[in-house]
Each structure stands twice: as structure tokens, then as C-alpha cells.
Amino acid sequence: MPLTSTLRMAALALLWGSGFLWIKLALNHGLSPAQITITRCALGTAVLLLLARSAGQRLPRDRATWTRLAIAALFCNAIPFALFSIGEQTVDSGIAGVMNATTPLWSLLLGILLGTDRGLGRIRLTGLFLGFAGTLLIFAPWQRSAGLLTWGALSLLAAAASYAIAFAYMARKLTDQGAPIAMSAAQLLAATAWTTLSVPTAGALHTDATGLLAITALGILGTGVTFYLNYRLIADEGPTSAATVGYLLPVVSVALGALVLNESTGPRIWAGMAVVLTGVAMTRTRRTSEGDVAGCPPAADGASAPVTLLKATQSRQTEDGLPAAAPPSPAERAHDDNPQVIRQPSPLRGAGNGAPSPH
């Protein structure tokens, strides 16, 4: 992998993983969840609008597309962004990052309930239970001080489930759309409109320079810039490199929480994170008899950018709402041009082995 792509992947993991830290800092310095959500969406929209303009892309003009984008924005941006801010009022930022990694587990569970995921084998089922077992290990409901049935913990899990609902909807309603940057800008614009409904509950603004810096970093870097970095990484190297970031996000969020905020990271937290990520990896596999290979980890998190880009750049979706195919990377195109090279199947091209984009 070229050095520029490696650095871009590292920057993407750092910026996405730090999103939970920025939320926590904003909360600690006087901003309310509503204020954080509104400002984040607005700043992210501004960044994407500028990027779309520089790329010569225009916002959609038909009512049907805007209606679909409004629904996607509700479940992919407005609701989870708000829930992560609410959850982090009582839950550490590092744990919030790990809870975000449960999104593929919710996607699989949703596919089972709706009857759209018919490739459930023992490995994937074990991964589903293992992932949620890791969640139990992290929150340790047997301890009074760290129970799972708290509003903070439930908010974080609901945010991850909201992403799963969004992916399933977008896979069916927002595929094969042109102008990916403009589409994502439009989605965040719709999310900003949704969040303005919470203005009456936002309260008065009482913050300091640290709070303003945190929310600015969250909106511009953690929402707008990360979207573009992810887009370039997929376009230049293919989705596998971008999907690798999914394994790094919880590690980054836990490490930053410990280093910056002095959050507790005992053996139970790290063990729970390992169990969750192992379960996620297992759910991204299919039976080899179906001709599929192991899938990649997810790259979506509570701080990620809109998913419209990946839906536009990846032409085919899996049944559980996760993208399964993407434009070939330069290396893949080189294989296609050389008939003497035996093409190996991409880990993202088997049915149901996709890796979702972005918080």
C-alpha cells in the first residue's frame, strides 16, 4: 500500500475514533446533547457542501430523492448523533466507541427478524451471541456501578441499532445515485433540519474555549473531513483498506479516553472489546459452499460521515443493508488487464460480506 494511503488510513482511524472524545469534552464543558448534535450536523454539512462545489457536483432536485434522504438522515445521522451525545453523559467515551462497533450485530439481527438474511450459519450465529456477550462483559450488569440497563448504555446500543436500520433502508432506496459527495451533503443537510426540532430542549449556551474547540473538531474533522478521507481511500485502494479502519476505531476511542480523560480501562474493558470485535468478525463470514469468503470489519461509527457516498460508489448491496461490492482498486484493475493473472475473489465481493461506511 502506498505511504499516502497508509497515512490516510491512520488519519481516518484517528479522526473517527476521536469523535467520541470530542463529544465527551463538549459535554464536560457545558454543551448539551442537542447543541452538540445540531452544531455537528451543520458544520459537517458546510464541509461537504464546499467539497461538492469544488468537485462540480450539484444537490439533488427531485422530491423523491430528498424524501429518501430525509429518512436516511433521520436514522443514520440525527438519531444516532443525538443518542451518542446522550449516552456519553453517563458512559465513558471509550466504551461508546466500542458500543458503536456492535452495528453489524444489529444489522444481522435485523436481517434475521425481517427474514432477509438467509445465510445464517453456526459461525455467524455464534458471532452474534459472542458480540452481545462482549457488551455484557463491558457493562458488567452484575455490578451496581456499571449496569447495562442504564439510560446511557441503552442510548449507545440504540444508536448502533439506528445505524443498522439506516444501512438496510439505504441499501434499498439510495443505491446507484450519482454525485456521491453532493448526495451526502444533502443527507447531512436534511439531518441538520431534523436536529433543529430539538432547539427548544437545547438550553442556553454556557461553554468555554475547550467546548467550542471540541464541537468544532467534531463537526469539521470528525464528520466532514473524515467522509472525504474515506472516499479517497476507497477510490484509491478499494474498500478493504477502508474497512480495516473498523477494527481500529474502538481501540482509538478507548486509548484516547484513557490518555486524555483518564477513563478507566481495566482488563474487563479490553477483554470485552476483544470479544465484541471477534463476534463482529464472525458475523461477517458466510458458508464457503456459497462461494463466499470472510468479510471485512465494519467502518461505521458514531462519528462517521454519511453512508451515501459508499452507497453511490458501491453498486451492489447485501441483504442486511451492508455494501458488498465497490469499484475496483488500481491493483484490481491491473489484474483485470492481465489475462495471465488468476484473479482471487475479493473479500468484499461475496454476497453479504460487505463493510459499511461511515459515523
Side-chain angles (χ1 to χ4, degrees):
M1 179 185 297
L3 178 60
T4 55
S5 295
T6 301
L7 294 176
R8 190 182 294 141
M9 186 170 67
L12 189 60
L14 179 61
L15 292 176
W16 267 350
S18 65
F20 304 99
L21 170 65
W22 301 128
I23 292 174
K24 194 70 167 181
L25 284 173
L27 289 169
N28 290 345
H29 288 266
L31 290 171
S32 68
Q35 291 169 344
I36 294 172
T37 305
I38 295 170
T39 308
R40 174 185 185 176
C41 287
L43 292 176
T45 300
V47 171
L48 292 180
L49 286 174
L50 290 174
L51 291 172
R53 182 179 178 83
S54 65
Q57 298 181 10
R58 296 183 177 180
L59 297 178
R61 298 182 179 182
D62 60 292
R63 181 179 299 179
T65 299
W66 276 105
T67 300
R68 297 188 186 100
L69 285 172
I71 297 174
L74 179 64
F75 289 101
C76 191
N77 305 111
I79 289 178
F81 286 3
L83 289 176
F84 272 108
S85 296
I86 293 172
E88 286 196 48
Q89 289 180 305
T90 56
V91 178
D92 288 347
S93 64
I95 293 179
V98 178
M99 291 303 98
N100 173 84
T102 65
T103 295
L105 305 178
W106 292 107
S107 291
L108 178 57
L109 184 60
L110 181 63
I112 295 173
L113 294 177
L114 296 179
T116 58
D117 197 312
R118 301 178 180 84
L120 186 64
R122 286 180 295 179
I123 294 179
R124 298 183 77 206
L125 184 61
T126 301
L128 181 64
F129 285 107
L130 193 62
F132 286 117
T135 302
L136 290 175
L137 179 59
I138 290 173
F139 283 106
W142 52 88
Q143 297 180 1
R144 292 184 179 181
S145 60
L148 177 62
L149 296 179
T150 63
W151 284 113
L154 293 176
S155 294
L156 297 177
L157 291 174
S162 183
Y163 280 133
I165 295 173
F167 294 152
Y169 176 81
M170 296 169 75
R172 291 160 175 79
K173 301 296 184 179
L174 285 174
T175 57
D176 300 324
Q177 300 286 340
I181 300 177
M183 286 289 291
S184 290
Q187 181 178 318
L188 260 188
L189 183 61
T192 304
W194 280 116
T195 60
T196 57
L197 298 177
S198 65
V199 168
T201 66
L205 183 62
H206 299 292
T207 188
D208 54 20
T210 301
L212 293 176
L213 177 62
I215 189 58
T216 301
L218 177 65
I220 295 178
L221 300 178
T223 306
V225 174
T226 52
F227 163 82
Y228 185 71
L229 289 176
N230 188 63
Y231 166 67
R232 292 310 316 165
L233 190 63
I234 293 174
D236 294 344
E237 296 297 330
T240 303
S241 297
T244 304
V245 178
Y247 276 145
L248 302 178
L249 296 183
V251 178
V252 171
S253 66
V254 171
L256 288 178
L259 293 174
V260 179
L261 300 175
N262 198 30
E263 294 177 349
S264 176
T265 56
R268 177 172 54 82
I269 302 299
W270 288 103
M273 179 175 63
V275 172
V276 168
L277 293 179
T278 300
V280 168
M282 293 174 68
T283 63
R284 308 280 16 104
T285 63
R286 290 273 188 163
R287 293 172 295 180
T288 55
S289 61
E290 295 174 345
D292 297 325
V293 292
C296 290
D301 75 276
S304 65
V307 187
T308 309
L309 164 73
L310 206 55
K311 299 305 179 184
T313 57
Q314 297 181 334
S315 59
R316 184 165 56 86
Q317 312 297 325
T318 64
E319 290 182 346
D320 62 359
L322 301 179
S329 67
E332 290 174 327
R333 287 193 292 269
H335 280 270
D336 290 337
D337 294 336
N338 188 352
Q340 296 180 348
V341 177
I342 300 177
R343 176 81 175 272
Q344 295 298 324
S346 167
L348 293 179
R349 296 188 183 278
N353 286 334
S357 159
H359 244 241

